[in-house]
């Protein structure tokens, strides 16, 4: 019954992940000049929404006082790690060619395996490790299919790929720490795991705090001087609301950006629920499956993006390798392996 529930959660998360990626692309059609504004709206807006939901769940008795009294030091560390992940990712992303970014980001899965073995004392079978390797390989093949830039890192300084890999390490560390909070919270709460909105709210709150402290640095990375930030945010808000002078350029707002923000919020909740039900690694593998599906959907003619694109045979091969990896990872475990998990 538990496996059936996890299977349903995986299916819902894949669907939401694909929807999230496609809507983000669509949201950037009207917000093309203001991606940094859209990122800040999601970061700080989620804090208000998550804490509002947390308050309602506390009033309803779903969230207990004991859950709210869980040690906050873990949430502070999550906030620091996620803010550092954003800063490192944006720094490297500004210097790396486009195809390199999603490829280097696949190191996220490797870091998760390492951190879960080190800090959660998890063990993985050979078929699980091989499955993860095939998933990463399949995504890389699918992403790079059709690219004629075989050596797209040849003219890039060594520090920037390493910084992108470090960004993945920070984010993987935060995801493993969230899994630890559920496991450790079960001990504190006498067998009951913390509510996902406790973890989401406090994690997002501290992330927003540290992102705010890094705002001058982050805005500069996007080519926005700190002194120009208020004017940029004002112009971004006008475009977001489609209330500025150039309404043609912002056609699709506010509907598309709001649709993306809603979908992204539901996706994040679904991902954390999957972490609570299974593990951070399973949640990441689920999200990874959405990458080639999203690429396929985005290759089709869509509203506001009428021109589709043709996918190469190597894309299909990459997806096949990815699916093989997922099957290999999910092969039934022996009783001894299940005992060690």
């Amino acid at each position: 019954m538990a496996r059936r529930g996890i299977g349903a959660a995986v299916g819902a998360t894949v669907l939401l992940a694909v929807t999230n990626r496609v809507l983000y692309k669509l949201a950037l059609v009207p917000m093309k000049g203001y991606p940094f504004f859209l990122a800040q709206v999601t970061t700080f807006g989620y804090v208000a929404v998550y804490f509002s939901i947390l308050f309602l769940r506390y009033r309803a008795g779903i969230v207990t006082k004991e859950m709210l009294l869980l040690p906050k030091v873990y949430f502070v560390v999550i906030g620091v790690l996620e803010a550092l992940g954003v800063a490192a990712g944006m720094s490297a992303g500004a210097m790396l060619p486009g195809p390199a970014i999603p490829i280097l980001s696949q190191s996220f899965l490797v870091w998760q395996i390492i951190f879960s073995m080190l800090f959660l004392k998890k063990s993985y079978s050979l078929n699980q490790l091989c499955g993860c390797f095939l998933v990463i390989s399949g995504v890389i093949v699918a992403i790079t299919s059709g690219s004629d830039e075989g050596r797209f890192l040849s003219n890039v300084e060594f520090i920037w790929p390493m910084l992108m890999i470090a960004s993945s390490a920070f984010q993987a560390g935060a995801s493993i720490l969230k899994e630890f909070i559920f496991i450790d919270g079960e001990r504190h709460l006498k067998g009951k795991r913390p509510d996902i909105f406790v973890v989401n709210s406090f994690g997002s709150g501290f992330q927003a705090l540290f992102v705010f402290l890094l705002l001058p640095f982050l805005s500069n990375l996007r080519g926005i001087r700190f002194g120009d930030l208020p004017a940029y945010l004002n112009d971004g808000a006008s475009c977001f609301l489609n209330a500025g002078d150039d309404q043609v350029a912002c056609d699709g707002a506010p509907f598309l950006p709001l649709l993306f923000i809603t979908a992204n919020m539901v996706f994040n909740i679904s991902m954390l629920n999957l972490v609570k039900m299974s593990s951070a690694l399973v949640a990441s593998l689920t999200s990874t499956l959405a990458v080639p599906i999203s690429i396929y959907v985005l290759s089709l003619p869509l509203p506001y993006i009428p021109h589709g694109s043709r996918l190469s045979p190597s894309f299909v091969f990459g997806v096949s390798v990815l699916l093989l990896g997922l099957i290999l990872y999910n092969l039934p475990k022996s009783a001894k392996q299940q005992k060690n998990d």
Side-chain angles (χ1 to χ4, degrees):
M1 193 68 161
R3 287 184 68 87
R4 191 179 301 173
I6 293 174
V10 166
T13 303
V14 169
L15 179 62
L16 288 168
V18 173
T19 303
N20 178 59
R21 287 175 177 271
V22 172
L23 287 177
Y24 177 65
K25 183 72 173 178
L26 290 173
L28 286 178
V29 172
M31 300 297 294
K32 184 178 181 180
Y34 304 99
F36 185 71
F37 173 83
L38 187 61
Q40 303 320 305
V41 168
T42 55
T43 298
F44 295 99
Y46 290 177
V47 176
V49 173
Y50 286 149
F51 271 102
S52 298
I53 296 174
L54 179 64
F55 174 74
L56 293 174
R57 290 172 76 84
Y58 176 71
R59 291 290 299 270
I62 299 171
V63 173
T64 64
K65 189 174 291 186
E66 289 75 19
M67 290 181 186
L68 298 177
L69 293 176
L70 288 172
K72 300 298 183 294
V73 63
Y74 300 129
F75 298 112
V76 174
V77 176
I78 287 172
V80 171
L81 289 173
E82 291 189 331
L84 287 175
V86 170
M90 287 181 66
S91 300
M95 304 301 295
L96 291 169
I101 296 171
I103 293 172
L104 293 171
S105 297
Q106 298 313 308
S107 61
F108 182 86
L109 280 171
V110 178
W111 286 117
Q112 278 195 320
I113 292 173
I114 294 171
F115 291 151
S116 63
M117 292 174 72
L118 288 175
F119 302 116
L120 300 181
K121 306 302 179 186
K122 289 196 171 188
S123 60
Y124 296 97
S125 64
L126 181 61
N127 67 280
Q128 287 179 310
L129 294 175
C130 290
C132 287
F133 172 76
L134 287 176
V135 167
I136 295 169
S137 302
V139 171
I140 290 173
V141 171
I143 290 171
T144 56
S145 62
S147 174
D148 55 2
E149 302 177 49
R151 299 180 60 192
F152 49 73
L153 291 178
S154 58
N155 296 320
V156 176
E157 291 184 38
F158 183 72
I159 182 64
W160 303 118
M162 291 301 99
L163 199 56
M164 181 58 72
I165 292 172
S167 170
S168 294
F170 290 135
Q171 295 175 36
S175 70
I176 294 299
L177 189 51
K178 288 176 183 178
E179 183 179 350
F180 171 79
I181 289 173
F182 285 122
I183 296 170
D184 187 62
E186 194 171 8
R187 181 172 57 84
H188 285 286
L189 301 172
K190 300 177 182 177
K192 186 176 182 181
R193 291 199 166 192
D195 186 78
I196 59 174
F197 283 98
V198 173
V199 180
N200 248 356
S201 300
F202 286 106
S204 297
F206 283 110
Q207 179 192 0
L209 172 63
F210 290 109
V211 166
F212 178 76
L213 295 176
L214 290 171
L215 208 53
F217 172 71
L218 295 175
S219 64
N220 190 58
L221 287 174
R222 301 300 299 186
I224 307 163
R225 291 183 300 178
F226 189 64
D228 297 332
L229 188 59
Y232 170 84
L233 294 176
N234 182 64
D235 291 342
S238 297
C239 186
F240 184 88
L241 298 171
N242 205 3
D245 296 330
D246 191 4
Q247 293 190 6
V248 175
C250 300
D251 186 35
F255 175 70
L256 290 177
L258 286 175
L259 202 58
F260 159 69
I261 290 171
T262 303
N264 185 255
M265 195 176 304
V266 177
F267 165 65
N268 287 329
I269 293 169
S270 178
M271 278 285 284
L272 192 59
N273 183 56
L274 193 54
V275 172
K276 180 179 178 179
M277 294 175 68
S278 54
S279 69
L281 184 60
V282 169
S284 295
L285 287 168
T286 300
S287 180
T288 302
L289 175 59
V291 175
I293 299 175
S294 303
I295 294 173
Y296 170 72
V297 173
L298 288 169
S299 73
L300 303 173
L302 297 171
Y304 298 94
I305 312 177
H307 304 293
S309 58
R310 186 186 297 271
L311 297 174
S312 69
S314 55
F315 173 83
V316 178
F317 175 72
V319 173
S320 301
V321 172
L322 185 153
L323 292 173
L324 180 62
L326 290 174
I327 293 170
L328 190 58
Y329 180 88
N330 287 289
L331 285 177
K333 303 177 187 178
S334 65
K336 183 179 179 181
Q337 288 173 338
Q338 289 179 344
K339 186 177 179 182
N340 290 334
D341 280 355

